[in-house]
Amino acid sequence: MINELVMKYRFFSTLMCCCLSITVAIAQEQFALKSPDGRIETTVFIGEKLTYAVSHDTQPVILPSPISLSLTGGEVWGSKARLSGHKVRKVRQVISSPFYRRSEIKDEYNELTLYFRGQWGVEFRIYNDGVAYRFVNQRKKPFTIQTEETSFIFPEDVTAIAAPPNNGFTTTPSVAVSKSDVGVIEQQFTSSFENTYVTGRLSELDKKRLFMLPLVVNIPGGKRVCITEADLESYPGLYLNTGRDVNSLSGFLPPYPKETVQGGHNMLQLRVKQREEYIAKIDGERFFPWRTIIIANTDKELADSDMTYKLAAPSRVTDISWIRPGKVAWEWWNDLNLEGVDFETGVNNKTYKYYIDFASQNGIEYVILDEGWSINLKADLMQVVPEINLPELVKYAATRGVGIILWAGYYAFNRDMENVCRHYADMGVKGFKIDFMDRDDQEMVDFIYRAADTAARYKLILDLHGMYKPAGLNRTYPNVLNFEGVFGLEQMKWQSPTVDMVTYDVTIPFIRQLAGPMDYTQGAMKNAAKGTFYPNNSEPMSQGTRCHQLAAYVIFDSPFNMLCDSPTNYIREPESLEFIAGVPTVWDETITLDGKIGEYIVTARRHKNTWYIGGFTNWDARDFMVDLSFLGNTKYDVTLFKDGVNAHRKGTDYKKERFSLEERKKNLTIHAAPGGGFVMQLDLQ
């Protein structure tokens, strides 16, 4: 497939270059290319090293920064490179984007491709909101890449907002780092990609820590720069580190596994015991992942970026009519707790039939059977626990319009993927939630693509947990509806009260969400005001108010969205349930109305003729000034959920109001309690 895409790209690129011209300045092996609006410029320098620089409104954003690929055997792409040709093109098109934050995306960029002796090249794309580059391989014979040099040199000691992998260190050496770094990197390559953010100047950050993508840096003058990657296929994921040069971030990539052993959570993982002295095996012609620099003047501009999706490979699923996004009644977070029933709850058919009935009665599309339905420690998805009659359960759900999703550990799914998908698709199961990958080396990335492709062939959807950032996979395989790779609400079952989830919630829409959708698993009905939270595994709660939880269904991108709490708790809260059950999970239009990283955000989304607007704040009480002028003179009936007068003391306190928009000014003032929020539904009159 990659080879086919390369050939198609060559033909189209050649055609475009014959038809149009883009200004490219050439002086002593120096190329410059501007964005369609002329505000962003990248300059590529070819000399002893291959370097690039980026400016925005003439202000330097990235100073000349070296990039290269080092092959085993000593060849380096980017060292004393000899140019053999270049091509430019201009693209103006519209991308269809089903199951996303908007139904279509305007895709406009200018592109420069540099070809070098040795059958390789580098491609740059310049959008109005950023720059991306990637290496291109034109060789047909296999080879291996020892390491990749990726660097971002800033004009000064900038402040970064970044999340390190959620683990510690080992003394296992890694070939991807310098000798002085041996012993501090390896374990960070095994991670569930869930952690909160740290903020500090590059000089202040721990030089022995890697940082996950995406991350954001503050550029002088108020600009925000988000660094991430896109179209990550058959290649290891990128991490950044501050330890190599002053005022810079440098890339690290996990080497290829040499030896793996079964282990980890319930023997459902393959843990790396030893790694190779290279990061990737290359079989032939291909594109490498995009290194992406998103630039914004304001935080709300940053939150609106679609660059990751635009840079991803187009869909490889020709028929998507069977893919059904929606909401999921989920039993794991609420520990299968039900009240008022005449059976003992647990992993059994009676319990799951109750969840199915609840889903059916409230228009919820799916029920998930999380960990426990298959026999523990066997890593065999064909062995179902005797308490579950799965064919009966699937048929029962189907008669009520509800689909069944099965949880699967990575190793169990991988070892028998084809048979598992065929068997359960034939039974009527609608998809899998795959968990505990906890790596993003090339071997694991290859598994993800193989799983997505296999599931698509059997018309199965996927929700990927224990998973690295999306990087655009949801465009290439739209049957992959959601991803974890986020410090989601499940953490509140066991985290210390010192963990600040509320501030995290007003941070991720500007950083993590730029990589793609998030299975945050919101929907808690027990809501803790500031100072009242405590972890509880069996009866968990959220930090912040009820309206904060409701707003998350609008603010977070999540095409496959959980109702994390118990049906019992939802039934007690019919107003909240009605809203959650009715809110869409995919959108025709999305606008970030206002926001500031770590402080607050207000998001508006349209599904058909109905608008939803959600906002939440950090632990500071806030009066939101919601500008609705974008609605024009159209009349709407509004349903508003806002924090109650006592929500600062009791997080469950809220007030529901109904009114006609024409009765109020287009600028609404809505008060939010500490950790609070609001959400409104606007129905066309």
Side-chain angles (χ1 to χ4, degrees), residues 299-491:
D299 289 356
K300 71 175 184 178
E301 288 179 6
L302 187 64
D304 268 341
S305 177
D306 298 312
M307 191 179 294
T308 300
Y309 193 95
K310 291 187 288 189
L311 289 168
S315 176
R316 296 174 189 171
V317 184
T318 53
D319 175 21
I320 63 171
S321 62
W322 56 272
I323 301 173
R324 185 188 185 196
K327 290 178 288 294
V328 189
W330 184 37
E331 28 64 291
W332 181 86
W333 194 78
N334 56 77
D335 204 24
L336 294 153
N337 279 325
L338 301 172
E339 297 177 29
V341 298
D342 58 1
F343 57 88
E344 185 173 349
T345 59
V347 180
N348 56 58
N349 270 37
K350 288 184 177 180
T351 298
Y352 283 112
K353 284 182 178 181
Y354 186 97
Y355 278 80
I356 292 167
D357 290 341
F358 167 76
S360 178
Q361 292 161 9
N362 292 281
I364 297 165
E365 291 85 355
Y366 297 98
V367 166
I368 190 168
L369 276 65
D370 214 288
E371 186 173 16
W373 67 271
S374 61
I375 295 178
N376 198 21
L377 300 176
K378 297 294 185 180
D380 184 355
L381 294 174
M382 306 303 289
Q383 297 190 41
V384 182
V385 296
E387 294 84 1
I388 292 286
N389 184 329
L390 197 53
E392 177 193 352
L393 208 57
V394 173
K395 289 179 182 178
Y396 183 88
T399 63
R400 287 154 177 79
V402 176
I404 294 296
I405 305 295
L406 299 177
W407 184 92
Y410 149 66
Y411 180 62
F413 190 85
N414 184 48
R415 69 187 297 199
D416 197 18
M417 187 185 301
E418 192 79 26
N419 189 40
V420 164
C421 287
R422 181 190 304 110
H423 175 75
Y424 287 110
D426 289 345
M427 188 182 294
V429 168
K430 300 303 180 183
F432 289 93
K433 173 183 175 181
I434 307 175
D435 207 348
F436 287 102
M437 284 73 77
D438 289 0
R439 295 166 25 215
D440 61 349
D441 48 49
Q442 187 184 33
E443 182 180 77
M444 187 58 71
V445 174
D446 283 342
F447 160 76
I448 293 297
Y449 273 78
R450 189 169 65 255
D453 185 75
T454 305
R457 286 192 285 108
Y458 289 100
K459 296 185 172 162
L460 296 167
I461 63 173
L462 295 182
D463 178 20
L464 300 177
H465 273 234
M467 170 68 183
Y468 55 86
K469 74 271 181 202
L473 180 66
N474 51 311
R475 180 185 179 191
T476 309
Y477 286 97
N479 60 310
V480 183
L481 287 176
N482 216 344
F483 307 78
E484 194 178 32
V486 67
F487 192 81
L489 197 65
E490 68 173 32
Q491 300 288 333

Side-chain angles (χ1 to χ4, degrees), residues 110-129:
N110 296 333
E111 183 179 273
L112 165 68
T113 305
L114 303 173
Y115 297 101
F116 297 93
R117 297 182 185 182
Q119 296 182 295
W120 63 277
V122 182
E123 183 178 305
F124 287 84
R125 284 187 187 176
I126 319 294
Y127 295 84
N128 289 337
D129 63 338

Side-chain angles (χ1 to χ4, degrees), residues 10-176:
R10 286 181 176 172
F11 171 78
F12 185 61
S13 179
T14 302
L15 178 64
M16 292 298 294
C17 290
C18 294
C19 299
L20 50 89
S21 176
I22 300 173
T23 301
V24 179
I26 308 176
Q28 298 182 346
E29 304 280 274
Q30 176 178 318
F31 292 75
L33 186 69
K34 290 187 176 182
S35 59
D37 64 4
R39 299 181 66 184
I40 298 176
E41 183 175 19
T42 189
T43 307
V44 185
F45 307 90
I46 307 170
E48 288 292 314
K49 290 188 174 183
L50 181 64
T51 64
Y52 75 100
V54 179
S55 64
H56 183 263
D57 292 336
T58 72
Q59 178 186 354
V61 174
I62 304 292
L63 300 182
S65 302
I67 57 175
S68 67
L69 287 180
S70 297
L71 281 57
T72 55
E75 183 181 0
V76 180
W77 294 0
S79 175
K80 300 178 181 179
R82 301 178 68 183
L83 189 70
S84 62
H86 75 276
K87 292 180 180 180
V88 295
R89 66 173 181 152
K90 178 171 67 176
V91 173
R92 305 290 185 269
Q93 63 184 358
V94 175
I95 298 173
S96 176
S97 48
F99 322 127
Y100 188 57
R101 60 166 72 180
R102 31 190 146 256
S103 57
E104 60 181 28
I105 298 171
K106 186 182 293 185
D107 188 30
E108 297 184 353
Y109 60 87
N110 296 333
E111 183 179 273
L112 165 68
T113 305
L114 303 173
Y115 297 101
F116 297 93
R117 297 182 185 182
Q119 296 182 295
W120 63 277
V122 182
E123 183 178 305
F124 287 84
R125 284 187 187 176
I126 319 294
Y127 295 84
N128 289 337
D129 63 338
V131 178
Y133 76 87
R134 64 179 174 183
F135 283 91
V136 181
N137 173 51
Q138 298 170 307
R139 301 179 183 183
K140 295 183 171 72
K141 293 184 179 180
F143 60 92
T144 57
I145 297 176
Q146 185 170 9
T147 190
E148 176 183 350
E149 181 181 25
T150 307
S151 59
F152 306 88
I153 302 175
F154 302 99
E156 60 183 67
D157 188 13
V158 296
T159 298
I161 308 171
N166 54 316
N167 48 26
F169 306 113
T170 68
T171 57
T172 306
S174 171
V175 299

Side-chain angles (χ1 to χ4, degrees), residues 121 162 183 204 244 449 510 536-537 555 608 648:
E204 299 170 342
R244 288 179 174 170
Y449 273 78
F510 306 95
N536 190 318
N537 185 70
I555 294 170
K608 298 181 179 179
H648 64 293

